[in-house]
Amino acid sequence: MHIALLGGSMALFFSCKDMPPKNHGPIVLGDSSSIVTERDPQKLKDLVTDLQPVIPTPETKDTTETKPAVAAADTSKKVAPGASKPAAQVLPAAAGLKAEFKDVSILIPNLNAKIAGKADLQKANGAVYTFVSGDINGNTLHVTGNVTKVSQRYQSVAVLKNELGTLPVDQLSITTDWEPIKGNNNQYKITDLDTKSLEYPHASANAIHSAVGKAAQRHHFSRKKVKEWENSVHHIKAANQKPMYIMLRSVMWKIDGKDANGKLFSKQIRIDVPM
């Protein structure tokens, strides 16, 4: 009888194998047939309006399978004598952008952004925000949970500013690859998003002239007005040459880690900057 009880208790400690992380492709806001630096069609997938194609859908899970008492007992057996248990992780008590997913919570202090869609992210794997106020570059991304990697990518766009007004030139945009960012104690410094550090597409004078014309047409300007916009850049030879500037259009972070059961997860948040 003792043997039967021992076998039953051991079955409670059975756990599923880790699932491999799903691959997440890049986003793009420009037209793939126009002057966008990115050429790989796999990297021209849209992650702006719909997160579903590239963010794994949440999986339903029977919460009755995990018993806190058993899990606690299992953990205590694996802790070596004299070793201390990790302290509970808590986000700093600060106002800012806060995204609370099931497996990880994220905070960017003193950053005001409006979320698109439901604010409850417990069953979500991604969230999109619209920038309102505060600083993104130079800020710090705080996370809780068993995070193994944080990556950043962004999209920049050339913007024409002159006496005619302000005109974002969508065809002169670029989307960077995912790049891991350094962190310590679940704090990750946000860098390389200032105007001087932003990457921009290299285009000829003719390409810039054409891109500006198409951007003006997209705003439904009159033919005369479109011509004025085109003439205003007749001397421009680079996308970052005044009166053109490179601006941040959107930035995204991907947080990879493992949940309490050792299963891999990946969450994404994105901030769009209004033009």
Side-chain angles (χ1 to χ4, degrees):
M1 182 174 181
H2 290 291
I3 296 176
L5 291 176
L6 179 60
S9 61
M10 290 180 66
L12 294 176
F13 295 97
F14 178 81
S15 61
C16 298
K17 295 182 179 179
D18 292 348
M19 294 181 64
K22 296 188 178 181
N23 188 29
H24 302 276
I27 58 172
V28 70
L29 290 176
D31 185 352
S32 61
S33 63
S34 57
I35 313 167
V36 179
T37 300
E38 186 59 71
R39 299 295 183 185
D40 186 351
Q42 292 299 320
K43 295 184 177 181
L44 294 176
K45 294 182 180 179
D46 185 10
L47 190 56
V48 181
T49 58
D50 188 358
L51 293 172
Q52 296 303 320
V54 288
I55 297 181
T57 55
E59 297 183 40
T60 57
K61 195 171 184 180
D62 187 357
T63 55
T64 60
E65 292 181 358
T66 302
K67 297 182 179 180
V70 176
D74 182 45
T75 302
S76 62
K77 290 181 179 180
K78 296 179 180 180
V79 176
S84 59
K85 296 181 181 180
Q89 299 175 359
V90 180
L91 291 175
L97 185 156
K98 183 179 291 186
E100 295 182 304
F101 297 99
K102 179 181 178 181
D103 301 305
V104 63
S105 294
I106 302 163
L107 170 68
I108 305 179
N110 304 315
L111 180 62
N112 185 12
K114 184 178 180 181
I115 190 171
K118 297 181 179 179
D120 185 0
L121 302 176
Q122 288 300 300
K123 295 182 179 180
N125 287 316
V128 177
Y129 297 81
T130 299
F131 175 82
V132 177
S133 63
D135 294 324
I136 301 178
N137 189 62
N139 210 323
T140 301
L141 190 148
H142 300 262
V143 299
T144 64
N146 185 14
V147 175
T148 57
K149 183 179 180 182
V150 175
S151 305
Q152 174 181 287
R153 68 180 312 182
Y154 64 83
Q155 184 176 58
S156 61
V157 62
V159 178
L160 176 59
K161 293 182 179 181
N162 54 29
E163 66 280 359
L164 297 174
T166 302
L167 182 68
V169 186
D170 291 335
Q171 291 186 340
L172 298 178
S173 64
I174 188 171
T175 302
T176 65
D177 294 327
W178 285 113
E179 293 290 345
I181 57 178
K182 296 180 180 179
N184 187 28
N185 295 325
N186 280 2
Q187 299 180 32
Y188 297 82
K189 194 72 173 179
I190 301 173
T191 60
D192 300 326
L193 298 179
D194 57 290
T195 302
K196 294 181 179 179
S197 301
L198 293 175
E199 296 183 27
Y200 60 91
H202 298 283
S204 65
N206 289 336
I208 294 172
H209 183 274
S210 176
V212 169
K214 290 181 179 179
Q217 291 174 2
R218 196 171 290 117
H219 281 71
H220 304 291
F221 291 130
S222 64
R223 290 184 179 181
K224 180 181 178 181
K225 200 71 172 180
V226 170
K227 195 64 176 179
E228 290 178 359
W229 279 107
E230 291 176 335
N231 291 337
S232 69
V233 294
H234 70 277
H235 63 290
I236 301 297
K237 298 181 179 180
N240 65 337
Q241 180 181 341
K242 291 183 179 180
M244 298 190 74
Y245 301 84
I246 306 301
M247 298 183 65
L248 179 68
R249 165 157 271 179
S250 63
V251 57
M252 180 183 289
W253 295 279
K254 179 171 63 173
I255 296 88
D256 297 315
K258 294 183 179 181
D259 64 14
N261 296 319
K263 183 178 179 180
L264 298 174
F265 69 78
S266 184
K267 309 295 181 181
Q268 294 184 18
I269 61 172
R270 172 179 175 169
I271 300 176
D272 289 333
V273 181
M275 294 284 102

